[in-house]
């Protein structure tokens, strides 16, 4: 069983930055690939970024490539999402997920075994 808790969301102006964190319980964090997804009101959950078990491989949605960076610290059971140059269209609830298989399984939300409760990110214009 893995429990995930996100933090770091908030209100920021367009062009600003936020850093999201997702802390996992349990001692097997390094056995899970991690992903960040987001869901805006009235829209489906959308893939944002994913990272492999050891952190050597990362993947991004085209909409965030070059602006967002996913990373992980297995010693701290934490995955991060650094978000720069934020745009109003980045406004959403951001959730982290965990699952034991790497890419391309990390692309699809229905492949994930565990989810956090989400953190709200609001970008004002």
């Amino acid at each position: 069983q893995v429990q995930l808790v996100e933090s770091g969301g908030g209100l920021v102006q367009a062009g600003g930055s936020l850093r999201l964190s997702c802390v996992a319980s349990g001692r097997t964090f390094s056995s899970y690939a991690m992903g960040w997804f987001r869901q805006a009101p009235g829209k489906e959950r959308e893939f944002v970024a994913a990272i492999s078990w050891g952190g050597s491989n990362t993947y991004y949605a085209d909409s965030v490539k070059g602006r967002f960076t996913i990373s992980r610290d297995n010693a701290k059971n934490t995955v991060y999402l650094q978000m720069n140059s934020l745009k109003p269209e980045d406004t959403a609830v951001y959730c982290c997920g965990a699952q034991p298989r790497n890419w391309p399984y990390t692309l699809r939300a229905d492949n994930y075994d565990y989810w956090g409760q989400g953190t709200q990110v609001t970008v004002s214009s």
Side-chain angles (χ1 to χ4, degrees):
Q1 187 77 7
V2 176
Q3 292 184 327
L4 304 173
V5 179
E6 302 96 336
S7 63
L11 174 64
V12 64
Q13 288 187 334
S17 298
L18 284 174
R19 188 196 197 199
L20 306 184
S21 299
C22 171
V23 179
S25 66
R27 295 180 291 178
T28 59
F29 177 70
S30 60
S31 299
Y32 289 91
M34 301 296 295
W36 284 97
F37 286 72
R38 66 188 182 186
Q39 189 166 17
K43 295 187 177 181
E44 294 187 354
R45 186 171 290 191
E46 174 188 26
F47 170 78
V48 176
I51 189 165
S52 58
W53 304 319
S56 57
N57 295 302
T58 57
Y59 309 91
Y60 298 93
D62 288 342
S63 59
V64 307
K65 201 170 295 183
R67 301 187 297 122
F68 291 11
T69 302
I70 188 171
S71 61
R72 67 188 297 163
D73 185 341
N74 286 344
K76 295 183 179 180
N77 280 13
T78 303
V79 62
Y80 304 98
L81 186 68
Q82 177 67 44
M83 306 186 295
N84 298 329
S85 302
L86 282 161
K87 304 175 181 180
E89 51 264 43
D90 294 319
T91 295
V93 175
Y94 284 70
C95 296
C96 66
Q99 56 112 341
R101 296 172 295 179
N102 277 319
W103 187 267
Y105 298 96
T106 44
L107 177 62
R108 293 176 56 91
D110 56 7
N111 285 330
Y112 284 76
D113 298 326
Y114 304 104
W115 290 98
Q117 83 290 347
T119 185
Q120 176 71 46
V121 171
T122 303
V123 185
S124 63
S125 57

